[in-house]
Amino acid sequence: MSLRLGYGTNGLTDLRLDDALGLLADLGYEGVGLTLDHMHLDPLAPELAARTRKVADRLGELGLGVTVETGARYVLDPGRKHGPSLLDPDPDARTRRTELLVTAVRVAADLGAHAVHCFSGITPDGTDDDTAWKLLGEALAPVLDAAADAGVPLAIEPEPGHLLATLADFHRLREQLGDPEPLGLTLDIGHCQCLEPLSPAECVRAAAPWLRHVQIEDMRRGVHEHLPFGDGEIDFPPVLEALAATGYGGLTVVELPRHSHAGPEQARRSMEFLRPLIAGAASPPKGA
């Protein structure tokens, strides 16, 4: 199966959304990881349904697929990065995050998105591990119900430094919740390089049954810094070959959120780097 390459709007925050989508289509991307934020389809501003319809029309016009991402830094709290989280000690604050994710599911359904991405958040000071996992499960329950009703998978991302940081943590949550059908996995290839015991290609194979969304960038071992391709340590051909072999049908989205100042150029360079590798990953071995 040929992989479908997308680019994250969190790496194009200096562009209007309409311009960003046009740029990606012109560069040959097949989709977009759309982060709901104040500059790109604000989930908290009035007339969300009408604005979502316009974005859906634009995506259809350009032939772009979409994943809805929910990692906006200050969308809920202008003073706390990614706050409040699903682990916030304040139940009202946790509810705000849950409600944002439920809204994201509705937006995803209206856009025809193939998944909604989320993450757990950092365990607050003074919260023990068992309590944090309990809070996470309770906060996700309404989101999973909404995802089941909408027919849109929820793809939670292991994030370095968060409660749910590794593939093993994903399985802990999955088992804790009774393996709910809507719960899937966002696999960030750079995060695999950063902290997983398996290689990135081995992570892809291990995660294959639960893959609902994939993010990709370069990274170095032990350093959580999203890097342009070629600036890190990842050997990408085995990763892309493993991903193609899984039959994964969603988007593989370039994730360079700290490079928006050069977003159009990074989008072009990323496509130039990945396109030949994706073509090679989809080709049968010689002699086959």
Side-chain angles (χ1 to χ4, degrees), residues 25 75 118 123 145 157 159 166 169-170 174 191 220 222 243 273:
V75 67
C118 70
T123 304
D145 288 343
E157 177 187 8
E159 181 81 19
T166 65
D169 292 333
F170 166 72
R174 184 176 62 81
H191 295 173
R220 300 187 184 98
L243 191 56
F273 180 91

Side-chain angles (χ1 to χ4, degrees), residues 163-174:
L163 173 69
L164 197 155
T166 65
L167 288 174
D169 292 333
F170 166 72
H171 290 299
R172 173 173 177 167
L173 176 67
R174 184 176 62 81

Side-chain angles (χ1 to χ4, degrees), residues 87 120-123 129 132-133 136 159 161-166 169:
L87 308 176
S120 69
I122 297 168
T123 304
D129 194 59
W133 283 103
L136 179 60
E159 181 81 19
H162 284 210
L163 173 69
L164 197 155
T166 65
D169 292 333

